Amino acid sequence: MPFNLADCQFYGPALPEPFVQFELERELNRLGLLPKTSGQEGKQLKADWETYRRHLAQLAVRGGSVRVRNQVIEPILKRLGYDDIKQQNPVETREGRESGGHLLTNGDDSARLRVWVTSFDEDLDAPARRGQAYRFSHVRIAQRVLLASGERVGLVTNGVRLHLLISDPARPDSQVIIPIDPGWKRSRDVPDSFRLLLALASPAGVKAVPELVDKARLQQARVTKELRSQARKAVERFVQEVLDHPDNRAWLAEQTDRQALARTLWHEGLVTVYRLLFILKLESSDDPARSFTFASTSLWRNTFSPSMALARYVPPILEQGAETGEMLENGLRNLFRMFEQGIECTELNVKPLGGSLF
């Protein structure tokens, strides 16, 4: 079965979406980090998961940080590859002395994983103490301590969510957010997000994170280059179709400044293609902060969505050369006009975007 991390949220540059979808599983298997789900190893993983779920089920309504540690971290200590967990002294960061959390060790000084645990369901992104700013949230404190300690991976949990932090001295911090409640608690099968945790938080996984991040960075650069090439090709083909259209021949023959015409057509073609890329991205993103709030409404899906409303017309055009008249042209004009001018109705409330695209 394909690696399914739909329950996870990935933030930051360390593990970009294309790398997670197409490369991460292969890289983890290549490094021998990803637990197998078949054979004897798979049976043991299943048994460990059932035991772990019973511990998680005991966290239901409330509990302090000690209880959360006992039910979320300690039950998988051995499975992760560590022998001991110890409270750490505060660490000096750029904001002063801050909580050093707990340290998971296995007798090897180089094999260590720092963990922070809060009370059950405490907000990990809010200030840890009243009167403090956002930069003093549990997650921010953990990120600063990792950076000051020269460590690349850490865990923060409140018993409801588990944040796997990836620290990079040269780039913004990244994190993978995994839902424990209700996600893991309801899953009878071993979630791939649990296997990801075992892979990246193990001693071998912690050592391999810099290599994985470099792979992801190079893959992202390659994807960006390919997308740039594809966007250029799309612009060129779109403009060429406009030039070749029979209705434009007479007008084209009257144009004397071909260089100015080429610049104008290139600019307008670029705007058109990037408008579509912008819309396609925001209607398909799983990140609420980077997606259209109306993407799931019936009016959008059946009337305006370029990937859904127009999808049924694409195969006949590509395979049979079917004519659509002015339907596609008018559809795109209406779509762009909606974002340029805005629209308010029962299902859709779109504010005018403006900017260089609209």
Side-chain angles (χ1 to χ4, degrees):
M1 294 180 62
F3 205 37
N4 183 6
L5 298 175
D7 58 331
C8 298
Q9 293 175 293
F10 293 83
Y11 295 98
L15 297 175
E17 182 180 348
F19 181 78
V20 171
Q21 289 186 353
F22 304 114
E23 304 288 342
L24 181 58
E25 182 181 13
R26 181 172 60 188
E27 289 298 324
L28 292 176
N29 282 323
R30 180 182 66 82
L31 295 169
L33 298 174
L34 197 63
K36 292 182 172 58
T37 56
S38 58
Q40 188 60 39
E41 185 176 344
K43 292 180 180 179
Q44 185 60 53
L45 178 64
K46 178 71 172 178
D48 291 343
W49 171 246
E50 291 297 331
T51 301
Y52 187 47
R53 277 189 67 216
R54 288 194 289 271
H55 283 280
L56 296 180
Q58 297 181 37
L59 277 174
V61 180
R62 60 182 180 274
S65 60
V66 174
R67 180 174 173 78
V68 173
R69 184 194 67 195
N70 291 342
Q71 305 302 331
V72 178
I73 300 300
E74 291 195 0
I76 56 172
L77 196 66
K78 300 292 185 182
R79 179 75 217 195
L80 284 171
Y82 302 97
D83 299 324
D84 196 15
I85 177 171
K86 292 181 180 179
Q87 178 75 44
Q88 296 299 294
N89 295 324
V91 175
E92 190 71 32
T93 72
R94 63 176 182 268
E95 297 290 349
R97 292 175 63 80
E98 299 188 282
S99 170
H102 294 75
L103 203 60
L104 310 187
T105 59
N106 63 357
D108 183 354
D109 290 339
S110 63
R112 46 194 285 167
L113 178 69
R114 200 174 294 267
V115 177
W116 288 262
V117 182
T118 72
S119 299
F120 182 73
D121 202 17
E122 185 172 342
D123 194 337
L124 298 179
D125 294 311
R129 295 181 181 177
R130 182 172 297 179
Q132 292 184 331
Y134 165 68
R135 69 179 184 275
F136 292 103
S137 69
H138 294 286
V139 169
R140 290 290 187 178
I141 291 172
Q143 289 170 334
R144 286 195 294 270
V145 171
L146 289 176
L147 186 62
S149 304
E151 299 168 12
R152 298 298 299 269
V153 181
L155 296 178
V156 182
T157 183
N158 59 1
V160 175
R161 297 184 305 175
L162 193 149
H163 292 232
L164 190 150
L165 308 181
I166 300 177
S167 176
D168 190 337
R171 308 175 77 198
D173 293 315
S174 302
Q175 56 179 312
V176 183
I177 301 178
I178 305 172
I180 296 176
D181 188 359
W184 281 3
K185 287 185 177 180
R186 294 183 180 178
S187 180
R188 294 186 176 275
D189 296 326
V190 181
D192 284 338
S193 54
F194 180 66
R195 297 171 63 210
L196 177 67
L197 173 68
L198 297 180
L200 295 182
S202 66
V206 171
K207 293 179 181 178
V209 161
E211 179 183 348
L212 285 171
V213 171
D214 285 342
K215 285 268 188 181
R217 178 178 56 81
L218 293 174
Q219 194 263 1
Q220 182 67 18
R222 185 170 63 253
V223 169
T224 302
K225 183 177 179 180
E226 291 174 356
L227 286 176
R228 187 180 296 115
S229 174
Q230 292 172 3
R232 182 182 182 88
K233 186 178 295 185
V235 172
E236 291 174 347
R237 293 184 63 177
F238 172 72
V239 171
Q240 191 62 50
E241 288 292 331
V242 171
L243 294 174
D244 292 342
H245 197 283
D247 292 347
N248 295 330
R249 289 174 182 170
W251 171 85
L252 182 60
E254 298 173 357
Q255 305 304 309
T256 55
D257 191 343
R258 293 303 177 98
Q259 289 188 351
L261 175 62
R263 286 193 296 269
T264 300
L265 289 175
W266 171 256
H267 177 265
E268 295 300 327
L270 196 64
V271 169
T272 299
V273 169
Y274 273 91
R275 280 178 177 176
L276 286 172
L277 290 176
F278 171 83
I279 295 170
L280 290 169
K281 173 62 178 176
L282 266 71
E283 76 166 352
S284 62
S285 176
D286 294 328
D287 183 358
R290 301 178 181 179
S291 63
F292 294 140
T293 57
F294 49 79
S296 60
T297 64
S298 175
L299 181 59
W300 171 262
R301 288 185 290 108
N302 297 317
T303 305
F304 292 105
S305 170
S307 63
M308 300 187 70
L310 299 180
R312 58 181 177 272
Y313 300 105
V314 173
I317 294 174
L318 294 179
E319 298 171 6
Q320 306 165 19
E323 289 291 336
T324 61
E326 297 181 349
M327 188 273 293
L328 291 179
E329 178 185 349
N330 291 335
L332 288 179
R333 288 185 186 277
N334 290 331
L335 178 65
F336 296 158
R337 188 179 299 114
M338 181 183 73
F339 284 106
E340 178 187 358
Q341 301 177 3
I343 184 174
E344 289 189 18
C345 61
T346 304
E347 286 193 66
L348 284 181
N349 185 4
V350 181
K351 300 297 183 182
L353 292 182
S356 59
L357 278 184
F358 297 96

